[in-house]
Amino acid sequence: MTHPHDLADLIQRVLSSVGWTLLGVLIFYFGTVLFDKLDPIDYRVEIEKGNIAAAIKLAAVMLALGGIIIAVIVT
């Protein structure tokens, strides 16, 4: 039998995880929007044309942004 205290703790942890996830997604979204505004190249068009260098750069930016967000949330 589960104790009410254990269930409340579980619910609190789940809600905390969902909240941090939403915050991370929002920061990631606004980070990508900021990157698109600061860099004049339209990477989506370049990738559709087959530009591998653009795809690698965009992937590197996304990974770096994700790493920064994880570091900020963890600390």
Side-chain angles (χ1 to χ4, degrees):
M1 183 172 174
T2 61
H3 297 289
H5 179 65
D6 294 339
L7 185 60
D9 186 47
L10 176 66
I11 291 171
Q12 191 252 344
R13 287 176 184 244
V14 168
L15 290 176
S16 176
S17 294
V18 169
W20 284 114
T21 301
L22 289 175
L23 179 64
V25 168
L26 285 173
I27 293 171
F28 191 82
Y29 173 75
F30 288 118
T32 57
V33 169
L34 179 64
F35 174 73
D36 285 341
K37 288 185 186 233
L38 292 176
D39 200 350
I41 299 171
D42 189 357
Y43 286 96
R44 288 173 184 85
V45 172
E46 291 296 322
I47 292 169
E48 287 175 2
K49 288 186 208 176
N51 188 341
I52 301 298
I56 292 172
K57 182 176 179 182
L58 187 60
V61 168
M62 297 298 164
L63 287 172
L65 187 57
I68 292 168
I69 293 168
I70 289 170
V72 167
I73 288 176
V74 168
T75 56

